[in-house]
Amino acid sequence: MAILVVGGAGYIGSHTARALRHAGYDVILYDNLSTGSRRLAQGFELIEADIADAATLRPALARADALMHFAAHAYVGESVENPRKYFRNNVTAALTLLNSALEAGIRRIVFSSSCAVYGVPRQIPITEETNREPVNPYGASKLFFENALEAYSRAYGLRSVRLRYFNAAGADESGEIGELHNPETHLIPLALAATASGRELQIYGSDYDTQDGTCVRDYIHVNDLADAHMRALQYLESADQNAVQSLALNLGTGRGHSVLEIVEAAETATGRPVRRSVRPRRAGDPPILIADPAKAQSVLGWTAKRNLPEIISSAWAWMQSASRRRAA
Ligand SMILES: NC(=O)c1ccc[n+]([C@@H]2O[C@H](COP(=O)([O-])OP(=O)(O)OC[C@H]3O[C@@H](n4cnc5c(N)ncnc54)[C@H](O)[C@@H]3O)[C@@H](O)[C@H]2O)c1
């Protein structure tokens, strides 16, 4: 069985590609390398192209039995400054991918959605039934594609699992692949980098109504996400196809950690201090985002296995091996 992993040269896609290969699937990566990297795709067949390119998609999709769609622009702040870029890629180009998949006869899709579809939820933990009211163009673009998948499911029998990740973090335990974003905007790599470089970490807001005044997020290990993708695919392949529904699932641990807790965990893992400064709150940053992952547990039998110290130590091991490689 062959899986086309679109956006497979990126952070989460590359970890999932490895998990799929390990489970015996044939894996083809499709990526324009706009934010992904050839390094993360090493050892895999990579079709280097854009999802807006229907002519290149056609033969690639003809070889696949199912699609995993990770490709997107994913910086919230940038989406506010340049929404056009986000709607062009995450909506217009993504619809070319979806229509090409439909025409190629693909009926199973696993999609990278985000907790950004919920906006600023009124209730924590967040269940899948929480209203979807995104507060930035990135979240709106993810919601649009979710809606398209739901409509295609009803009209054309295309089955999808829309996985709403909370904060992806950590790295493969092999130390061979990990997070490679440029610019890096995620807290854990930034805090770890601050311990190594002595550069100051910016903390946005210390007056939230949380245990220590800083924002609280649900950090989920990237290999736990990869495992959930495998299970979502297996769910879509179930023998009893009549029982398979298109659905959305939260992927988080159900536990929240504040920014200051992450900073302290980074200091513990590295044995070095993080210099920090507190800035004003960023617009549209919800105080607390924590998943209720019960539905993923009941439908997929999935739970996150790795805790915060394991997330941080794997991310640190990857950063150290990456800096050794750069020095060599
Ligand atoms: N990282 C997180 O915490 C997080 C949280 C929620 C949702 N997500 C979603 O998960 C997915 C993967 O995120 P990531 O952190 O691995 O990001 P990433 O930038 O590392 O990966 C995205 C990949 O898609 C590719 N891509 C983008 N546009 C493309 C296009 N038009 N054609 C072909 N390839 C294209 C990029 O080159 C990159 O390799 C994204 O859809 C993101 O919105 C991520």
mmCIF file with all atom_site columns, all heavy atoms in Angstrom, residues 7 10-12 31-32 34-36 49-51 70-72 89 113 138 142 165-166 168 181, ligand 1:
data_model
loop_
_atom_site.group_PDB
_atom_site.id
_atom_site.type_symbol
_atom_site.label_atom_id
_atom_site.label_alt_id
_atom_site.label_comp_id
_atom_site.label_asym_id
_atom_site.label_entity_id
_atom_site.label_seq_id
_atom_site.pdbx_PDB_ins_code
_atom_site.Cartn_x
_atom_site.Cartn_y
_atom_site.Cartn_z
_atom_site.occupancy
_atom_site.B_iso_or_equiv
_atom_site.pdbx_formal_charge
_atom_site.auth_seq_id
_atom_site.auth_comp_id
_atom_site.auth_asym_id
_atom_site.auth_atom_id
_atom_site.pdbx_PDB_model_num
ATOM   1   N N   . GLY A 1 7   ? 4.068  17.351 1.902  1.00 0.00 ? 7   GLY A N   1
ATOM   2   C CA  . GLY A 1 7   ? 4.673  18.102 3.008  1.00 0.00 ? 7   GLY A CA  1
ATOM   3   C C   . GLY A 1 7   ? 5.556  17.177 3.837  1.00 0.00 ? 7   GLY A C   1
ATOM   4   O O   . GLY A 1 7   ? 5.861  17.462 4.996  1.00 0.00 ? 7   GLY A O   1
ATOM   5   N N   . GLY A 1 10  ? 8.892  18.132 5.731  1.00 0.00 ? 10  GLY A N   1
ATOM   6   C CA  . GLY A 1 10  ? 8.792  19.056 6.864  1.00 0.00 ? 10  GLY A CA  1
ATOM   7   C C   . GLY A 1 10  ? 8.942  18.311 8.180  1.00 0.00 ? 10  GLY A C   1
ATOM   8   O O   . GLY A 1 10  ? 9.222  17.108 8.216  1.00 0.00 ? 10  GLY A O   1
ATOM   9   N N   . TYR A 1 11  ? 8.731  19.038 9.247  1.00 0.00 ? 11  TYR A N   1
ATOM   10  C CA  . TYR A 1 11  ? 8.960  18.512 10.606 1.00 0.00 ? 11  TYR A CA  1
ATOM   11  C C   . TYR A 1 11  ? 8.056  17.298 10.911 1.00 0.00 ? 11  TYR A C   1
ATOM   12  O O   . TYR A 1 11  ? 8.537  16.171 11.116 1.00 0.00 ? 11  TYR A O   1
ATOM   13  C CB  . TYR A 1 11  ? 8.728  19.666 11.576 1.00 0.00 ? 11  TYR A CB  1
ATOM   14  C CG  . TYR A 1 11  ? 8.706  19.336 13.038 1.00 0.00 ? 11  TYR A CG  1
ATOM   15  C CD1 . TYR A 1 11  ? 9.646  18.475 13.605 1.00 0.00 ? 11  TYR A CD1 1
ATOM   16  C CD2 . TYR A 1 11  ? 7.754  19.942 13.876 1.00 0.00 ? 11  TYR A CD2 1
ATOM   17  C CE1 . TYR A 1 11  ? 9.616  18.213 14.973 1.00 0.00 ? 11  TYR A CE1 1
ATOM   18  C CE2 . TYR A 1 11  ? 7.737  19.684 15.231 1.00 0.00 ? 11  TYR A CE2 1
ATOM   19  C CZ  . TYR A 1 11  ? 8.663  18.809 15.774 1.00 0.00 ? 11  TYR A CZ  1
ATOM   20  O OH  . TYR A 1 11  ? 8.628  18.558 17.120 1.00 0.00 ? 11  TYR A OH  1
ATOM   21  N N   . ILE A 1 12  ? 6.761  17.503 10.934 1.00 0.00 ? 12  ILE A N   1
ATOM   22  C CA  . ILE A 1 12  ? 5.868  16.414 11.363 1.00 0.00 ? 12  ILE A CA  1
ATOM   23  C C   . ILE A 1 12  ? 5.744  15.363 10.252 1.00 0.00 ? 12  ILE A C   1
ATOM   24  O O   . ILE A 1 12  ? 5.723  14.155 10.521 1.00 0.00 ? 12  ILE A O   1
ATOM   25  C CB  . ILE A 1 12  ? 4.485  16.971 11.780 1.00 0.00 ? 12  ILE A CB  1
ATOM   26  C CG1 . ILE A 1 12  ? 4.671  18.061 12.847 1.00 0.00 ? 12  ILE A CG1 1
ATOM   27  C CG2 . ILE A 1 12  ? 3.595  15.858 12.314 1.00 0.00 ? 12  ILE A CG2 1
ATOM   28  C CD1 . ILE A 1 12  ? 3.434  18.896 13.125 1.00 0.00 ? 12  ILE A CD1 1
ATOM   29  N N   . ASP A 1 31  ? 6.899  17.473 -1.921 1.00 0.00 ? 31  ASP A N   1
ATOM   30  C CA  . ASP A 1 31  ? 7.178  18.682 -1.124 1.00 0.00 ? 31  ASP A CA  1
ATOM   31  C C   . ASP A 1 31  ? 7.894  19.703 -2.007 1.00 0.00 ? 31  ASP A C   1
ATOM   32  O O   . ASP A 1 31  ? 8.745  19.337 -2.816 1.00 0.00 ? 31  ASP A O   1
ATOM   33  C CB  . ASP A 1 31  ? 8.083  18.304 0.072  1.00 0.00 ? 31  ASP A CB  1
ATOM   34  C CG  . ASP A 1 31  ? 8.056  19.328 1.188  1.00 0.00 ? 31  ASP A CG  1
ATOM   35  O OD1 . ASP A 1 31  ? 8.450  20.476 0.939  1.00 0.00 ? 31  ASP A OD1 1
ATOM   36  O OD2 . ASP A 1 31  ? 7.652  18.977 2.317  1.00 0.00 ? 31  ASP A OD2 1
ATOM   37  N N   . ASN A 1 32  ? 7.560  20.978 -1.847 1.00 0.00 ? 32  ASN A N   1
ATOM   38  C CA  . ASN A 1 32  ? 8.263  22.002 -2.644 1.00 0.00 ? 32  ASN A CA  1
ATOM   39  C C   . ASN A 1 32  ? 9.467  22.578 -1.894 1.00 0.00 ? 32  ASN A C   1
ATOM   40  O O   . ASN A 1 32  ? 10.103 23.507 -2.376 1.00 0.00 ? 32  ASN A O   1
ATOM   41  C CB  . ASN A 1 32  ? 7.303  23.121 -3.067 1.00 0.00 ? 32  ASN A CB  1
ATOM   42  C CG  . ASN A 1 32  ? 6.814  23.945 -1.889 1.00 0.00 ? 32  ASN A CG  1
ATOM   43  O OD1 . ASN A 1 32  ? 7.164  23.686 -0.737 1.00 0.00 ? 32  ASN A OD1 1
ATOM   44  N ND2 . ASN A 1 32  ? 5.995  24.953 -2.166 1.00 0.00 ? 32  ASN A ND2 1
ATOM   45  N N   . SER A 1 34  ? 9.652  24.544 0.509  1.00 0.00 ? 34  SER A N   1
ATOM   46  C CA  . SER A 1 34  ? 9.557  25.972 0.875  1.00 0.00 ? 34  SER A CA  1
ATOM   47  C C   . SER A 1 34  ? 9.942  26.182 2.334  1.00 0.00 ? 34  SER A C   1
ATOM   48  O O   . SER A 1 34  ? 10.652 27.125 2.671  1.00 0.00 ? 34  SER A O   1
ATOM   49  C CB  . SER A 1 34  ? 8.155  26.522 0.607  1.00 0.00 ? 34  SER A CB  1
ATOM   50  O OG  . SER A 1 34  ? 7.181  25.742 1.276  1.00 0.00 ? 34  SER A OG  1
ATOM   51  N N   . THR A 1 35  ? 9.499  25.298 3.210  1.00 0.00 ? 35  THR A N   1
ATOM   52  C CA  . THR A 1 35  ? 9.958  25.342 4.604  1.00 0.00 ? 35  THR A CA  1
ATOM   53  C C   . THR A 1 35  ? 10.533 23.999 5.022  1.00 0.00 ? 35  THR A C   1
ATOM   54  O O   . THR A 1 35  ? 11.111 23.885 6.099  1.00 0.00 ? 35  THR A O   1
ATOM   55  C CB  . THR A 1 35  ? 8.806  25.714 5.581  1.00 0.00 ? 35  THR A CB  1
ATOM   56  O OG1 . THR A 1 35  ? 7.717  24.801 5.382  1.00 0.00 ? 35  THR A OG1 1
ATOM   57  C CG2 . THR A 1 35  ? 8.313  27.124 5.363  1.00 0.00 ? 35  THR A CG2 1
ATOM   58  N N   . GLY A 1 36  ? 10.383 23.000 4.191  1.00 0.00 ? 36  GLY A N   1
ATOM   59  C CA  . GLY A 1 36  ? 10.941 21.680 4.494  1.00 0.00 ? 36  GLY A CA  1
ATOM   60  C C   . GLY A 1 36  ? 12.393 21.602 4.074  1.00 0.00 ? 36  GLY A C   1
ATOM   61  O O   . GLY A 1 36  ? 12.959 22.579 3.582  1.00 0.00 ? 36  GLY A O   1
ATOM   62  N N   . ALA A 1 49  ? 7.913  19.332 -5.794 1.00 0.00 ? 49  ALA A N   1
ATOM   63  C CA  . ALA A 1 49  ? 6.930  20.106 -6.570 1.00 0.00 ? 49  ALA A CA  1
ATOM   64  C C   . ALA A 1 49  ? 5.914  20.723 -5.623 1.00 0.00 ? 49  ALA A C   1
ATOM   65  O O   . ALA A 1 49  ? 5.859  20.392 -4.439 1.00 0.00 ? 49  ALA A O   1
ATOM   66  C CB  . ALA A 1 49  ? 6.230  19.191 -7.568 1.00 0.00 ? 49  ALA A CB  1
ATOM   67  N N   . ASP A 1 50  ? 5.102  21.612 -6.209 1.00 0.00 ? 50  ASP A N   1
ATOM   68  C CA  . ASP A 1 50  ? 4.118  22.367 -5.431 1.00 0.00 ? 50  ASP A CA  1
ATOM   69  C C   . ASP A 1 50  ? 2.744  21.692 -5.521 1.00 0.00 ? 50  ASP A C   1
ATOM   70  O O   . ASP A 1 50  ? 2.410  21.092 -6.547 1.00 0.00 ? 50  ASP A O   1
ATOM   71  C CB  . ASP A 1 50  ? 4.041  23.787 -6.008 1.00 0.00 ? 50  ASP A CB  1
ATOM   72  C CG  . ASP A 1 50  ? 3.405  24.751 -5.042 1.00 0.00 ? 50  ASP A CG  1
ATOM   73  O OD1 . ASP A 1 50  ? 2.157  24.737 -4.927 1.00 0.00 ? 50  ASP A OD1 1
ATOM   74  O OD2 . ASP A 1 50  ? 4.147  25.501 -4.387 1.00 0.00 ? 50  ASP A OD2 1
ATOM   75  N N   . ILE A 1 51  ? 1.946  21.853 -4.467 1.00 0.00 ? 51  ILE A N   1
ATOM   76  C CA  . ILE A 1 51  ? 0.600  21.257 -4.500 1.00 0.00 ? 51  ILE A CA  1
ATOM   77  C C   . ILE A 1 51  ? -0.338 22.019 -5.448 1.00 0.00 ? 51  ILE A C   1
ATOM   78  O O   . ILE A 1 51  ? -1.441 21.559 -5.719 1.00 0.00 ? 51  ILE A O   1
ATOM   79  C CB  . ILE A 1 51  ? -0.046 21.158 -3.093 1.00 0.00 ? 51  ILE A CB  1
ATOM   80  C CG1 . ILE A 1 51  ? -0.072 22.513 -2.384 1.00 0.00 ? 51  ILE A CG1 1
ATOM   81  C CG2 . ILE A 1 51  ? 0.649  20.109 -2.253 1.00 0.00 ? 51  ILE A CG2 1
ATOM   82  C CD1 . ILE A 1 51  ? -0.910 22.521 -1.109 1.00 0.00 ? 51  ILE A CD1 1
ATOM   83  N N   . PHE A 1 70  ? 0.207  17.310 4.859  1.00 0.00 ? 70  PHE A N   1
ATOM   84  C CA  . PHE A 1 70  ? 0.857  18.150 5.871  1.00 0.00 ? 70  PHE A CA  1
ATOM   85  C C   . PHE A 1 70  ? 1.208  19.535 5.326  1.00 0.00 ? 70  PHE A C   1
ATOM   86  O O   . PHE A 1 70  ? 1.590  20.417 6.093  1.00 0.00 ? 70  PHE A O   1
ATOM   87  C CB  . PHE A 1 70  ? 2.189  17.515 6.310  1.00 0.00 ? 70  PHE A CB  1
ATOM   88  C CG  . PHE A 1 70  ? 2.058  16.210 7.040  1.00 0.00 ? 70  PHE A CG  1
ATOM   89  C CD1 . PHE A 1 70  ? 2.049  15.005 6.346  1.00 0.00 ? 70  PHE A CD1 1
ATOM   90  C CD2 . PHE A 1 70  ? 1.954  16.168 8.415  1.00 0.00 ? 70  PHE A CD2 1
ATOM   91  C CE1 . PHE A 1 70  ? 1.936  13.794 7.018  1.00 0.00 ? 70  PHE A CE1 1
ATOM   92  C CE2 . PHE A 1 70  ? 1.840  14.972 9.095  1.00 0.00 ? 70  PHE A CE2 1
ATOM   93  C CZ  . PHE A 1 70  ? 1.831  13.781 8.394  1.00 0.00 ? 70  PHE A CZ  1
ATOM   94  N N   . ALA A 1 71  ? 1.179  19.700 3.986  1.00 0.00 ? 71  ALA A N   1
ATOM   95  C CA  . ALA A 1 71  ? 1.760  20.908 3.377  1.00 0.00 ? 71  ALA A CA  1
ATOM   96  C C   . ALA A 1 71  ? 0.935  22.150 3.703  1.00 0.00 ? 71  ALA A C   1
ATOM   97  O O   . ALA A 1 71  ? -0.262 22.189 3.417  1.00 0.00 ? 71  ALA A O   1
ATOM   98  C CB  . ALA A 1 71  ? 1.842  20.730 1.869  1.00 0.00 ? 71  ALA A CB  1
ATOM   99  N N   . ALA A 1 72  ? 1.584  23.125 4.297  1.00 0.00 ? 72  ALA A N   1
ATOM   100 C CA  . ALA A 1 72  ? 0.890  24.385 4.601  1.00 0.00 ? 72  ALA A CA  1
ATOM   101 C C   . ALA A 1 72  ? 1.920  25.404 5.059  1.00 0.00 ? 72  ALA A C   1
ATOM   102 O O   . ALA A 1 72  ? 3.032  25.041 5.464  1.00 0.00 ? 72  ALA A O   1
ATOM   103 C CB  . ALA A 1 72  ? -0.139 24.183 5.717  1.00 0.00 ? 72  ALA A CB  1
ATOM   104 N N   . ASN A 1 89  ? -1.918 29.401 -0.341 1.00 0.00 ? 89  ASN A N   1
ATOM   105 C CA  . ASN A 1 89  ? -1.307 28.071 -0.181 1.00 0.00 ? 89  ASN A CA  1
ATOM   106 C C   . ASN A 1 89  ? -2.230 27.082 0.530  1.00 0.00 ? 89  ASN A C   1
ATOM   107 O O   . ASN A 1 89  ? -2.466 25.983 0.046  1.00 0.00 ? 89  ASN A O   1
ATOM   108 C CB  . ASN A 1 89  ? -0.001 28.196 0.605  1.00 0.00 ? 89  ASN A CB  1
ATOM   109 C CG  . ASN A 1 89  ? 0.933  27.010 0.391  1.00 0.00 ? 89  ASN A CG  1
ATOM   110 O OD1 . ASN A 1 89  ? 1.029  26.484 -0.715 1.00 0.00 ? 89  ASN A OD1 1
ATOM   111 N ND2 . ASN A 1 89  ? 1.612  26.586 1.440  1.00 0.00 ? 89  ASN A ND2 1
ATOM   112 N N   . SER A 1 113 ? -4.784 19.269 10.683 1.00 0.00 ? 113 SER A N   1
ATOM   113 C CA  . SER A 1 113 ? -5.461 20.476 11.114 1.00 0.00 ? 113 SER A CA  1
ATOM   114 C C   . SER A 1 113 ? -4.796 20.966 12.400 1.00 0.00 ? 113 SER A C   1
ATOM   115 O O   . SER A 1 113 ? -3.680 20.528 12.731 1.00 0.00 ? 113 SER A O   1
ATOM   116 C CB  . SER A 1 113 ? -6.960 20.224 11.296 1.00 0.00 ? 113 SER A CB  1
ATOM   117 O OG  . SER A 1 113 ? -7.619 21.457 11.497 1.00 0.00 ? 113 SER A OG  1
ATOM   118 N N   . TYR A 1 138 ? -4.455 31.982 9.629  1.00 0.00 ? 138 TYR A N   1
ATOM   119 C CA  . TYR A 1 138 ? -3.949 30.601 9.618  1.00 0.00 ? 138 TYR A CA  1
ATOM   120 C C   . TYR A 1 138 ? -5.051 29.635 10.059 1.00 0.00 ? 138 TYR A C   1
ATOM   121 O O   . TYR A 1 138 ? -5.356 28.651 9.374  1.00 0.00 ? 138 TYR A O   1
ATOM   122 C CB  . TYR A 1 138 ? -2.717 30.494 10.532 1.00 0.00 ? 138 TYR A CB  1
ATOM   123 C CG  . TYR A 1 138 ? -2.309 29.060 10.817 1.00 0.00 ? 138 TYR A CG  1
ATOM   124 C CD1 . TYR A 1 138 ? -1.809 28.252 9.804  1.00 0.00 ? 138 TYR A CD1 1
ATOM   125 C CD2 . TYR A 1 138 ? -2.432 28.517 12.103 1.00 0.00 ? 138 TYR A CD2 1
ATOM   126 C CE1 . TYR A 1 138 ? -1.441 26.924 10.065 1.00 0.00 ? 138 TYR A CE1 1
ATOM   127 C CE2 . TYR A 1 138 ? -2.072 27.207 12.369 1.00 0.00 ? 138 TYR A CE2 1
ATOM   128 C CZ  . TYR A 1 138 ? -1.578 26.415 11.345 1.00 0.00 ? 138 TYR A CZ  1
ATOM   129 O OH  . TYR A 1 138 ? -1.226 25.106 11.599 1.00 0.00 ? 138 TYR A OH  1
ATOM   130 N N   . LYS A 1 142 ? -7.204 26.638 7.923  1.00 0.00 ? 142 LYS A N   1
ATOM   131 C CA  . LYS A 1 142 ? -7.332 25.229 8.333  1.00 0.00 ? 142 LYS A CA  1
ATOM   132 C C   . LYS A 1 142 ? -8.809 24.842 8.418  1.00 0.00 ? 142 LYS A C   1
ATOM   133 O O   . LYS A 1 142 ? -9.204 23.750 8.019  1.00 0.00 ? 142 LYS A O   1
ATOM   134 C CB  . LYS A 1 142 ? -6.660 25.005 9.693  1.00 0.00 ? 142 LYS A CB  1
ATOM   135 C CG  . LYS A 1 142 ? -5.145 25.092 9.632  1.00 0.00 ? 142 LYS A CG  1
ATOM   136 C CD  . LYS A 1 142 ? -4.581 23.833 9.021  1.00 0.00 ? 142 LYS A CD  1
ATOM   137 C CE  . LYS A 1 142 ? -3.110 23.956 8.703  1.00 0.00 ? 142 LYS A CE  1
ATOM   138 N NZ  . LYS A 1 142 ? -2.575 22.833 7.942  1.00 0.00 ? 142 LYS A NZ  1
ATOM   139 N N   . TYR A 1 165 ? -3.877 19.029 15.764 1.00 0.00 ? 165 TYR A N   1
ATOM   140 C CA  . TYR A 1 165 ? -2.735 18.960 16.691 1.00 0.00 ? 165 TYR A CA  1
ATOM   141 C C   . TYR A 1 165 ? -2.756 20.161 17.616 1.00 0.00 ? 165 TYR A C   1
ATOM   142 O O   . TYR A 1 165 ? -3.073 21.276 17.203 1.00 0.00 ? 165 TYR A O   1
ATOM   143 C CB  . TYR A 1 165 ? -1.379 19.024 15.998 1.00 0.00 ? 165 TYR A CB  1
ATOM   144 C CG  . TYR A 1 165 ? -1.169 18.293 14.727 1.00 0.00 ? 165 TYR A CG  1
ATOM   145 C CD1 . TYR A 1 165 ? -0.192 18.768 13.844 1.00 0.00 ? 165 TYR A CD1 1
ATOM   146 C CD2 . TYR A 1 165 ? -1.851 17.136 14.381 1.00 0.00 ? 165 TYR A CD2 1
ATOM   147 C CE1 . TYR A 1 165 ? 0.074  18.127 12.659 1.00 0.00 ? 165 TYR A CE1 1
ATOM   148 C CE2 . TYR A 1 165 ? -1.586 16.484 13.194 1.00 0.00 ? 165 TYR A CE2 1
ATOM   149 C CZ  . TYR A 1 165 ? -0.630 16.989 12.332 1.00 0.00 ? 165 TYR A CZ  1
ATOM   150 O OH  . TYR A 1 165 ? -0.356 16.358 11.155 1.00 0.00 ? 165 TYR A OH  1
ATOM   151 N N   . PHE A 1 166 ? -2.286 19.923 18.843 1.00 0.00 ? 166 PHE A N   1
ATOM   152 C CA  . PHE A 1 166 ? -1.970 21.028 19.736 1.00 0.00 ? 166 PHE A CA  1
ATOM   153 C C   . PHE A 1 166 ? -0.497 21.377 19.463 1.00 0.00 ? 166 PHE A C   1
ATOM   154 O O   . PHE A 1 166 ? -0.135 21.475 18.304 1.00 0.00 ? 166 PHE A O   1
ATOM   155 C CB  . PHE A 1 166 ? -2.377 20.667 21.170 1.00 0.00 ? 166 PHE A CB  1
ATOM   156 C CG  . PHE A 1 166 ? -3.889 20.826 21.318 1.00 0.00 ? 166 PHE A CG  1
ATOM   157 C CD1 . PHE A 1 166 ? -4.771 20.039 20.557 1.00 0.00 ? 166 PHE A CD1 1
ATOM   158 C CD2 . PHE A 1 166 ? -4.426 21.816 22.114 1.00 0.00 ? 166 PHE A CD2 1
ATOM   159 C CE1 . PHE A 1 166 ? -6.158 20.231 20.615 1.00 0.00 ? 166 PHE A CE1 1
ATOM   160 C CE2 . PHE A 1 166 ? -5.809 22.013 22.184 1.00 0.00 ? 166 PHE A CE2 1
ATOM   161 C CZ  . PHE A 1 166 ? -6.668 21.226 21.440 1.00 0.00 ? 166 PHE A CZ  1
ATOM   162 N N   . ALA A 1 168 ? 3.046  20.714 18.614 1.00 0.00 ? 168 ALA A N   1
ATOM   163 C CA  . ALA A 1 168 ? 3.992  19.647 18.274 1.00 0.00 ? 168 ALA A CA  1
ATOM   164 C C   . ALA A 1 168 ? 5.375  20.026 18.785 1.00 0.00 ? 168 ALA A C   1
ATOM   165 O O   . ALA A 1 168 ? 5.798  21.178 18.668 1.00 0.00 ? 168 ALA A O   1
ATOM   166 C CB  . ALA A 1 168 ? 4.031  19.450 16.772 1.00 0.00 ? 168 ALA A CB  1
ATOM   167 N N   . HIS A 1 181 ? 12.880 24.558 11.628 1.00 0.00 ? 181 HIS A N   1
ATOM   168 C CA  . HIS A 1 181 ? 12.122 25.678 11.076 1.00 0.00 ? 181 HIS A CA  1
ATOM   169 C C   . HIS A 1 181 ? 12.999 26.924 10.979 1.00 0.00 ? 181 HIS A C   1
ATOM   170 O O   . HIS A 1 181 ? 13.818 27.165 11.846 1.00 0.00 ? 181 HIS A O   1
ATOM   171 C CB  . HIS A 1 181 ? 10.897 25.980 11.946 1.00 0.00 ? 181 HIS A CB  1
ATOM   172 C CG  . HIS A 1 181 ? 9.838  24.914 11.869 1.00 0.00 ? 181 HIS A CG  1
ATOM   173 N ND1 . HIS A 1 181 ? 9.262  24.338 12.965 1.00 0.00 ? 181 HIS A ND1 1
ATOM   174 C CD2 . HIS A 1 181 ? 9.261  24.324 10.793 1.00 0.00 ? 181 HIS A CD2 1
ATOM   175 C CE1 . HIS A 1 181 ? 8.375  23.438 12.576 1.00 0.00 ? 181 HIS A CE1 1
ATOM   176 N NE2 . HIS A 1 181 ? 8.361  23.411 11.269 1.00 0.00 ? 181 HIS A NE2 1
HETATM 177 N N1  . LIG B 2 .   ? 4.100  22.309 14.278 1.00 0.00 ? 1   LIG B N1  1
HETATM 178 C C1  . LIG B 2 .   ? 2.976  22.407 14.983 1.00 0.00 ? 1   LIG B C1  1
HETATM 179 O O1  . LIG B 2 .   ? 2.985  22.586 16.215 1.00 0.00 ? 1   LIG B O1  1
HETATM 180 C C2  . LIG B 2 .   ? 1.638  22.281 14.290 1.00 0.00 ? 1   LIG B C2  1
HETATM 181 C C3  . LIG B 2 .   ? 0.466  22.399 15.063 1.00 0.00 ? 1   LIG B C3  1
HETATM 182 C C4  . LIG B 2 .   ? -0.775 22.266 14.427 1.00 0.00 ? 1   LIG B C4  1
HETATM 183 C C5  . LIG B 2 .   ? -0.838 22.006 13.056 1.00 0.00 ? 1   LIG B C5  1
HETATM 184 N N2  . LIG B 2 .   ? 0.317  21.925 12.336 1.00 0.00 ? 1   LIG B N2  1
HETATM 185 C C6  . LIG B 2 .   ? 0.193  21.642 10.884 1.00 0.00 ? 1   LIG B C6  1
HETATM 186 O O2  . LIG B 2 .   ? 0.966  20.489 10.603 1.00 0.00 ? 1   LIG B O2  1
HETATM 187 C C7  . LIG B 2 .   ? 1.498  20.566 9.270  1.00 0.00 ? 1   LIG B C7  1
HETATM 188 C C8  . LIG B 2 .   ? 2.981  20.322 9.316  1.00 0.00 ? 1   LIG B C8  1
HETATM 189 O O3  . LIG B 2 .   ? 3.593  21.300 10.147 1.00 0.00 ? 1   LIG B O3  1
HETATM 190 P P1  . LIG B 2 .   ? 5.156  21.330 10.403 1.00 0.00 ? 1   LIG B P1  1
HETATM 191 O O4  . LIG B 2 .   ? 5.383  21.945 11.729 1.00 0.00 ? 1   LIG B O4  1
HETATM 192 O O5  . LIG B 2 .   ? 5.736  19.996 10.081 1.00 0.00 ? 1   LIG B O5  1
HETATM 193 O O6  . LIG B 2 .   ? 5.582  22.406 9.300  1.00 0.00 ? 1   LIG B O6  1
HETATM 194 P P2  . LIG B 2 .   ? 6.744  22.351 8.211  1.00 0.00 ? 1   LIG B P2  1
HETATM 195 O O7  . LIG B 2 .   ? 6.836  23.725 7.638  1.00 0.00 ? 1   LIG B O7  1
HETATM 196 O O8  . LIG B 2 .   ? 7.968  21.757 8.804  1.00 0.00 ? 1   LIG B O8  1
HETATM 197 O O9  . LIG B 2 .   ? 6.146  21.343 7.128  1.00 0.00 ? 1   LIG B O9  1
HETATM 198 C C9  . LIG B 2 .   ? 5.301  21.735 6.070  1.00 0.00 ? 1   LIG B C9  1
HETATM 199 C C10 . LIG B 2 .   ? 5.868  21.143 4.797  1.00 0.00 ? 1   LIG B C10 1
HETATM 200 O O10 . LIG B 2 .   ? 5.004  21.429 3.702  1.00 0.00 ? 1   LIG B O10 1
HETATM 201 C C11 . LIG B 2 .   ? 5.779  21.887 2.600  1.00 0.00 ? 1   LIG B C11 1
HETATM 202 N N3  . LIG B 2 .   ? 4.921  22.750 1.783  1.00 0.00 ? 1   LIG B N3  1
HETATM 203 C C12 . LIG B 2 .   ? 4.329  23.918 2.162  1.00 0.00 ? 1   LIG B C12 1
HETATM 204 N N4  . LIG B 2 .   ? 3.627  24.427 1.142  1.00 0.00 ? 1   LIG B N4  1
HETATM 205 C C13 . LIG B 2 .   ? 3.768  23.560 0.101  1.00 0.00 ? 1   LIG B C13 1
HETATM 206 C C14 . LIG B 2 .   ? 3.284  23.555 -1.239 1.00 0.00 ? 1   LIG B C14 1
HETATM 207 N N5  . LIG B 2 .   ? 2.541  24.547 -1.731 1.00 0.00 ? 1   LIG B N5  1
HETATM 208 N N6  . LIG B 2 .   ? 3.608  22.505 -2.035 1.00 0.00 ? 1   LIG B N6  1
HETATM 209 C C15 . LIG B 2 .   ? 4.384  21.493 -1.565 1.00 0.00 ? 1   LIG B C15 1
HETATM 210 N N7  . LIG B 2 .   ? 4.882  21.469 -0.316 1.00 0.00 ? 1   LIG B N7  1
HETATM 211 C C16 . LIG B 2 .   ? 4.582  22.495 0.504  1.00 0.00 ? 1   LIG B C16 1
HETATM 212 C C17 . LIG B 2 .   ? 6.962  22.600 3.206  1.00 0.00 ? 1   LIG B C17 1
HETATM 213 O O11 . LIG B 2 .   ? 8.083  22.689 2.357  1.00 0.00 ? 1   LIG B O11 1
HETATM 214 C C18 . LIG B 2 .   ? 7.238  21.720 4.441  1.00 0.00 ? 1   LIG B C18 1
HETATM 215 O O12 . LIG B 2 .   ? 8.126  20.669 4.127  1.00 0.00 ? 1   LIG B O12 1
HETATM 216 C C19 . LIG B 2 .   ? 1.097  21.931 8.738  1.00 0.00 ? 1   LIG B C19 1
HETATM 217 O O13 . LIG B 2 .   ? -0.060 21.764 7.940  1.00 0.00 ? 1   LIG B O13 1
HETATM 218 C C20 . LIG B 2 .   ? 0.765  22.729 9.998  1.00 0.00 ? 1   LIG B C20 1
HETATM 219 O O14 . LIG B 2 .   ? -0.197 23.714 9.728  1.00 0.00 ? 1   LIG B O14 1
HETATM 220 C C21 . LIG B 2 .   ? 1.542  22.047 12.906 1.00 0.00 ? 1   LIG B C21 1
#
